[in-house]
Amino acid sequence: MADAQSLYVQFKHAGLEQVDDGDDNNKINQFLETLEFINYAWNKHAAVGVAAFKAFDNQFVVKQNIHTVLSDLDFSNEQMQEALQLYYRARHSCSVADEARARVSELPALFASADFRRLAVFAGQGGMDNYMDETRSVFAVYRPLVEDFVREMAEFIKQEAQAPLFASLYQYGLDVMHWIEYPEDTPEQSYMISVPVCLPIVGMTQLMQIMVLYKSLGISPAELADKFDLATGHSQGIVSAVVLSMATDEESFYRVSKKALGLWILTGTFPQLDYPLVDPPPLEADESAVPTPMVAVLKLTRTQLQTQIDRFNEGRNNDTKVHLSLINGPRMHVVSGVTSSLRQFIKLLTTNFDTTGSDQTRVPYSQRKPRVAVKYLSINGPYHSILLEHACAGACTYAEEHEWLLDGHQLRRPVKTYEDGRNIQGISNLSQYLLRCMMVFRVDWPAAVELPGLTHVVDFGPGGTSGIGSIVQRIYEGRGIAVVCAGAFVSYGSPMRAKADLYRFHVDDILPPKSWVEEFAPRLVRCIGGNSLHIDTPMSRLLGRPPVMVAGMTPSTVSAEFVSAVINAGYHIELSGGGHFSEPMLRDKVDKILKLVEAGSSITVNSIYVNPFLWNIQYPALQAMRREGIPMEGLCIGAGVPSFDVCNDIIAHIREIGFRHIGLKPGSVSTIRL
């Protein structure tokens, strides 16, 4: 008893009493120290450990969730993983999970609010080379929640990979559990990123994330699925979406997960049996990466790319044609084909398009080459193309023989396919359809994620904030949709939201962002004084004038009479700096305009930065006039944009002396993104 009392005193001294220290780093360290002490105390004296955990939980987690507590304390990614690992280990050891579940009688706001529409998304393999890091992380952090599941699933795929048919593909086996616990024994990367190996492991990691979420919320798999209006997956991820929708309880989750893992093994193995790995050919002079059967093509529209594909395929036999296999966005595509054909296709693109990112700002627009970026993916098969029809047929037969069969009638919630955007509930031989999805059918990702009224997307990974959620974020950019990444403990400034937002209890904390329509769309407003209607925009609010302006241009807006007439008509106009070759000339013009306009009017000048002679006269003169009280309101920099640092310097100076606005006129997309 004395030892127990001593441990309790140490706990009070080292933990709870000091957590309120104002120093954030000290607070984080003491928070971690407290959790470490709870685990230590439980090992020494279980009763003290349980009491300590209850005290800790009641003080810090009783009205929140541990994820939100850590997020609000600004824990780093590493600190959050350490704290969660300690917390769930202590919670499991102290056997108070049931009490914790009973204490939280309501679900977090994201899943409780009837005002939200939720979409669950799962990524494909996608050439992610370090996927095992995420698998190990989920296992380490949430081990008490997922260990039994992971061990059983890992043993299942280990045994299935030993089938004689697959012997040539699993040279180092498929012992995921061993690789999790002994990272130093993990085979070389070229083996780990081979599709037969990575597909089932990536899939298992997604299933682990599902389990973490429903167990940490204290609900069943079916209850979690019911909180989503729709589920879908990119490439192999569609199978994880099916598992989420189909499982009802823990037993069925295990059962359906094994069938899913079997389908992933078949999707990885049968194509490689048809297209065995060979040593890559020597790189040619214009190649910077080893060619593979799939290549990402960015920046071209679908029409532009399809035109090139049709042109390339003309006169070729089916085995040497290339295929548009994935549509990830308006200008994000993937092309599949045998490696030799893809190499020739890339050469065609290089001939017809700009692949180097050269500066074309001085080339007439009609003569500019459209830009394109290409990148070979770390995938050793021409997936999502008719080239895998034979492999798919063999996989379907194998799935039937091993009874890895799924029935779409058992899907509890809608699952949308990327083949054509339809709901696959009701497809009897769902396993066959899923195999065709993963091997043969084209991925139309924008069609798969379209959901009217959608407010939140939950990305189950893998890939963190760089995974499939980032593509969904770009698709929905400006439409008022929040993307929450279940695999990211912190978001590091990404527009995506981190894992903690899954657990927040206040609706205001997880509201989706305003859409661009809400923020920027013009509105009609009626003024109280004259009861007249006006167009209301950010521009009209800034200038106090209609959102239509006359841009500065020599010689049109050099005339004092013309400029003053536009101002008196109630519109914004820029006085052109062209033609004003000295400070007296500019001052004289400003004086003439002010005499012709109504009192209270102000002037904006368009000056050309790339003309050093005029700029060095006009920019100091404008500042001087403003300091003298002359109503110089704005500055527009025409004919290109200065560097980022120069722009910031100009803005700081003119803001300090009272200018209200600055205008920039970029001449290229790259300058807009400056």
Side-chain angles (χ1 to χ4, degrees):
M1 185 66 182
D3 289 341
Q5 184 65 36
S6 175
L7 284 172
Y8 184 72
V9 170
Q10 292 177 41
F11 167 63
K12 292 285 287 182
H13 177 73
L16 292 177
E17 290 185 334
Q18 299 181 31
V19 171
D20 289 331
D21 191 289
D23 187 321
D24 286 342
N25 287 329
N26 192 36
K27 184 184 296 185
I28 290 172
N29 290 334
Q30 291 177 352
F31 200 98
L32 292 170
E33 183 181 348
T34 300
L35 287 169
E36 289 174 349
F37 181 80
I38 292 171
N39 284 278
Y40 170 80
W42 186 87
N43 287 324
K44 296 293 183 180
H45 295 281
V48 176
V50 170
F53 181 80
K54 286 184 176 180
F56 174 87
D57 215 36
N58 287 333
Q59 181 164 347
F60 295 104
V61 191
V62 64
K63 295 181 180 179
Q64 300 186 69
N65 177 281
I66 185 63
H67 294 83
T68 62
V69 172
L70 302 178
S71 176
D72 293 343
L73 287 172
D74 290 328
F75 273 53
S76 69
N77 180 63
E78 293 75 17
Q79 290 168 335
M80 187 169 287
Q81 290 190 57
E82 181 183 357
L84 287 169
Q85 182 176 349
L86 290 168
Y87 177 84
Y88 279 105
R89 185 196 304 164
R91 176 173 159 172
H92 176 74
S93 299
C94 297
S95 301
V96 294
D98 290 339
E99 292 183 21
R101 170 69 180 105
R103 185 186 64 230
V104 180
S105 58
E106 59 179 320
L107 286 172
L110 178 59
F111 301 104
S113 175
D115 296 329
F116 297 149
R117 297 205 75 193
R118 295 159 288 265
L119 166 66
V121 298
F122 299 84
Q125 187 262 343
M128 181 180 168
D129 295 346
N130 60 342
Y131 63 90
M132 272 300 297
D133 292 342
E134 187 163 334
T135 307
R136 293 189 185 99
S137 170
V138 177
F139 182 81
V141 172
Y142 300 103
R143 185 167 185 160
L145 304 184
V146 301
E147 182 171 12
D148 292 344
F149 174 78
V150 173
R151 290 193 181 280
E152 187 166 331
M153 297 304 118
E155 182 62 25
F156 172 78
I157 61 175
K158 177 183 177 181
Q159 294 300 322
E160 295 301 330
Q162 293 174 1
L165 180 62
F166 308 140
S168 63
L169 306 179
Y170 291 110
Q171 178 184 357
Y172 302 106
L174 193 55
D175 196 349
V176 184
M177 198 67 244
H178 185 78
W179 299 337
I180 289 175
E181 296 183 314
Y182 302 96
E184 66 276 10
D185 292 343
T186 304
E188 59 189 14
Q189 189 181 58
S190 60
Y191 180 78
M192 295 302 295
I193 64 174
S194 65
V195 184
V197 175
C198 69
L199 246 66
I201 301 178
V202 166
M204 188 181 75
T205 306
Q206 293 172 336
L207 301 180
M208 291 163 66
Q209 293 285 17
I210 295 174
M211 176 170 277
V212 166
L213 186 54
Y214 76 70
K215 284 194 171 183
S216 61
L217 293 176
I219 60 179
S220 70
E223 289 174 309
L224 176 62
D226 288 344
K227 299 304 175 184
F228 288 97
D229 297 274
L230 181 69
T232 190
H234 188 277
S235 190
Q236 73 166 78
I238 193 171
V239 179
S240 296
V242 165
V243 176
L244 172 66
S245 177
M246 188 172 288
T248 56
D249 53 20
E250 189 100 331
E251 181 183 353
S252 71
F253 186 79
Y254 274 63
R255 183 175 63 254
V256 178
S257 292
K258 286 183 179 179
K259 294 181 179 181
L261 288 163
L263 297 182
W264 283 320
I265 289 175
L266 300 182
T267 303
T269 53
F270 273 82
Q272 196 159 310
L273 291 172
D274 275 11
Y275 293 89
L277 290 177
V278 295
D279 292 333
L283 292 182
E284 297 182 3
D286 57 347
E287 290 180 325
S288 58
V290 176
T292 68
M294 298 186 75
V295 62
V297 181
L298 309 178
K299 300 185 179 181
L300 295 184
T301 66
R302 178 177 177 180
T303 300
Q304 287 175 315
L305 180 57
Q306 189 63 58
T307 299
Q308 297 301 312
I309 291 174
D310 294 342
R311 177 181 171 187
F312 178 83
N313 286 340
E314 189 174 351
R316 290 176 172 268
N317 61 49
N318 289 336
D319 291 340
T320 61
K321 289 181 178 180
V322 298
H323 305 272
L324 177 58
S325 50
L326 290 92
I327 303 167
N328 289 329
R331 294 177 181 269
M332 301 170 62
H333 304 90
V334 175
V335 178
S336 297
V338 295
T339 303
S340 57
S341 294
L342 275 187
R343 295 180 84 174
Q344 296 175 45
F345 178 69
I346 296 305
K347 289 181 179 179
L348 174 65
L349 291 183
T350 303
T351 301
N352 297 330
F353 298 93
D354 173 24
T355 59
T356 62
S358 59
D359 184 4
Q360 300 186 80
T361 55
R362 298 190 179 278
V363 178
Y365 188 82
S366 61
Q367 299 176 26
R368 295 180 187 177
K369 283 186 175 183
R371 288 184 174 170
V372 62
V374 296
K375 179 184 179 182
Y376 287 106
L377 304 181
S378 302
I379 298 177
N380 40 25
Y383 283 85
H384 300 291
S385 74
I386 59 173
L387 296 174
L388 294 188
E389 281 281 13
H390 178 266
C392 185
C396 290
T397 300
Y398 195 101
E400 289 185 13
E401 292 172 350
H402 287 72
E403 298 184 350
W404 295 339
L405 302 178
L406 299 170
D407 186 348
H409 292 91
Q410 296 176 1
L411 293 172
R412 297 173 49 82
R413 303 296 295 164
V415 175
K416 212 172 187 184
T417 173
Y418 46 70
E419 179 204 2
D420 52 16
R422 63 190 166 106
N423 180 10
I424 60 176
Q425 285 177 303
I427 296 180
S428 297
N429 194 340
L430 188 57
S431 293
Q432 183 181 93
Y433 180 79
L434 293 173
L435 288 169
R436 290 189 63 78
C437 274
M438 292 186 284
M439 295 190 212
V440 178
F441 294 154
R442 175 187 294 165
V443 174
D444 187 343
W445 188 233
V449 298
E450 185 63 36
L451 176 64
L454 177 65
T455 60
H456 292 79
V457 177
V458 178
D459 170 20
F460 284 88
T465 55
S466 300
I468 196 65
S470 63
I471 297 180
V472 177
Q473 180 78 37
R474 286 195 288 272
I475 292 173
Y476 275 110
E477 187 176 20
R479 293 169 62 180
I481 309 298
V483 180
V484 185
C485 184
F489 295 105
V490 292
S491 59
Y492 291 118
S494 165
M496 294 176 62
R497 302 183 182 183
K499 192 182 191 80
D501 277 14
L502 297 173
Y503 299 94
R504 297 194 182 278
F505 283 92
H506 300 292
V507 170
D508 290 346
D509 292 335
I510 51 116
L511 290 174
K514 287 185 178 180
S515 70
W516 288 351
V517 170
E518 290 179 274
E519 282 199 283
F520 306 116
R523 299 179 301 165
L524 286 177
V525 295
R526 190 180 299 277
C527 294
I528 296 177
N531 200 34
S532 56
L533 281 174
H534 294 271
I535 299 175
D536 178 29
T537 70
M539 177 179 172
S540 63
R541 285 180 176 267
L542 171 67
L543 302 175
R545 295 176 179 272
V548 178
M549 64 170 285
V550 179
M553 180 59 65
T554 304
S556 302
T557 66
V558 174
S559 163
E561 290 74 16
F562 183 81
V563 172
S564 59
V566 173
I567 294 175
N568 287 332
Y571 292 90
H572 179 64
I573 185 172
E574 297 168 351
L575 169 63
S576 174
H580 301 100
F581 304 110
S582 66
E583 182 173 341
M585 290 179 69
L586 182 60
R587 283 179 174 272
D588 181 63
K589 185 62 62 65
V590 169
D591 185 57
K592 287 181 180 179
I593 294 171
L594 290 175
K595 290 178 180 178
L596 294 171
V597 298
E598 298 178 1
S601 299
S602 54
I603 296 175
T604 296
V605 175
N606 183 309
S607 187
I608 300 177
Y609 179 80
V610 294
N611 186 327
F613 174 74
L614 289 180
W615 177 260
N616 290 331
I617 292 171
Q618 294 170 4
Y619 180 52
L622 294 174
Q623 295 180 76
M625 285 189 281
R626 180 66 205 184
R627 289 192 181 96
E628 295 165 12
I630 298 173
M632 308 306 296
E633 179 184 57
L635 168 65
C636 177
I637 301 176
V641 178
S643 70
F644 184 78
D645 291 336
V646 171
C647 279
N648 279 336
D649 186 62
I650 293 172
I651 291 170
H653 278 88
I654 66 174
R655 175 184 287 167
E656 182 181 356
I657 60 177
F659 276 73
R660 295 186 60 216
H661 56 85
I662 185 171
L664 302 169
K665 292 188 174 181
S668 65
V669 172
S670 59
T671 309
I672 293 174
R673 293 173 174 166
L674 183 65

